[in-house]
Amino acid sequence: MTTRPPRSGGPKGRKPQAGKFDAGKFRGGKAQADGRARTGPRTSARDAAERAARNRGEDAGTRDPWGSQGAAVSAPARPPKPRRDVAAPRDDAPRDAAAAKPGSRPPARRSAAPSPALAAAPAPGPTRREQRAAASATLASGVQTLTVEPDEAGMRIDRFLTARFPLLPFTRVQTIVRKGELRVDGKRAKPNDRLEPGMSVRVPPLRLDQPTERPRSAAREQDDAAFIRSLILYEDADMMILNKPFGLAVQGGSGTVRHVDGLLAALTGPDGQKPRLVHRLDKDTAGCLIIAKTRLAAATLAKSFRSRAARKIYWALTAGVPRVRQGRVSTYLAKEEPTDADARMRVAKHGDEGASHALTYYAMVDQAAQKLSWLSFKPVTGRTHQLRAHAAHIGHPIVGDPKYFSVENWELPGGIQNRLHLLARRIVIPHPRTGKPVDVSAPLPPHMAQSWNLLGFDAARYDPIVEAPEA
C-alpha cells in the first residue's frame, strides 16, 4: 500500500491561502530561532534595497520607505559612510550574540521612539490652498472704501475718482466704472451718477504706477502760472473764467502732456487747494472755460450746469447756408466706439445702448456768397461733440472739423485755415457764492478772426440766438 508524503507548508499539512497573509506572525522585533528578525522573506524588496545601499556605502535608513514616517517626511541627507561588509548594530538593536552575528540583519526599528533625525526634520511648508488664500489676500489689500464728503456732494462718480486720484488716467476711471469694479453703497453705478454726502464708495486696487520724482524748476512753475493768468477773462476769490486757446487740451490723455488741468497746478494756493475744472471743451474748441478755486465752488458751479442755469453761446463757421435760418435740433447721440473716450458721435434712436438726448438751438447771423454761414448755437444739453454732430446732422458741418466734416466737392476758400472754427463765445452763470449772474464773452481766436475779416463778418453784430427759447 502506497502512502502519500506529508503536505508541506505548516502544521497539519495545510497551505496558506492566497490573500490571507497574517501580518501578526511577521511583526518586527520578534526573532526567529536563528536570531533573524521576522520581517518577511529573505528575498524581500527591503532586503534588496538594504543590500544595494550597503554596496553603495550609504545608510539604508535614509532611503527607507518602510519607516514609521513613510514618505510623508524625508530625513535630512547624511554623509556617506565607508563601505562595510557587516552592518553596525544600532542602539535599539538586541545586544545578544545572535543579533550581532555576522551577516544578520538588525531588527526593525520600533515606531514608538522616532529617531533624532526625524524629530529634527523641518516643518512642512504651506499647502496649495493656503498659498492661494495668501495670494488672494495680497491682491485684495489694495481695495479702498471712501466716504463722500459734504463738499463733494453732487459730483459725478468719474469726476470724484479723478479728484481723489489725480494720477489715475481718465480712461482707466471710465473702465473701472463701466466694468462694475466700483461700487457705491454696495451697488453698481454709472459714470454720470451723482454722489451724496456720506455715501460709501468701494474702489478696487488701482495699481497706480509710481510717479517718477521729476523736480519742477521754479522757472517752469512761473512760466505756467504766467501763461494761465494771461488767459483769464474774469477772476474773483471763488472762480475764474479762462479764454482757452485753440489746440490746448483741457485734460490729459494718451499722448497729451500739456493741458489746462496740469497747468493749473502752478496756481495752487497756500492752503494746498488746486483750481478745479468745472466743465470741458474739446481740444480744438476755443473760448470760455470756467475754473473753480475751491471744492465748494466747484460743486456749486457743477449744479448750475446740471440744472441748466448756465447759458452758453457758441459761434461757428459752417459750410453752406441753412434753409431755415433759425431752428431747433433734437436728436439722440451715442458713441460709435463705446470704449473710446474721444470716439465719433452718431445720431441714434431712443432706447439704443448709450444714447442720450441732445437739444440745440441755432440761428444764422450772417452768410458769405451762399457758401459759408456764421451760425450761433445755444446748447441746452451738454453731450460730447454735440454742436459738431448737430451741425453735420443738419447738413452744415463746421469748417475745419476733422471728425464730422464731409461735403462732396468741397474746397476750402483761400485765406481760411483748415482749423476747427468753433468758439465758446459767451457764458452766463450764477456766482457760486452770491448767486448773481456772471456774464463773460471771449474774443475770436486768431484763425477765426482771420476768416471773419476775409468774409467781411462783423463780430460786434447783434446775435439773434440770445433770445432763443430754452426748452
Side-chain angles (χ1 to χ4, degrees), residues 420-432:
L420 182 67
H421 283 61
L422 180 61
L423 168 68
R425 167 65 175 176
R426 184 179 176 187
I427 190 165
V428 182
I429 190 169
H431 191 274

Side-chain angles (χ1 to χ4, degrees), residues 421-450:
H421 283 61
L422 180 61
L423 168 68
R425 167 65 175 176
R426 184 179 176 187
I427 190 165
V428 182
I429 190 169
H431 191 274
R433 185 182 300 271
T434 64
K436 295 181 179 180
V438 177
D439 188 350
V440 178
S441 297
L444 291 168
H447 69 283
M448 291 183 66
Q450 179 181 350

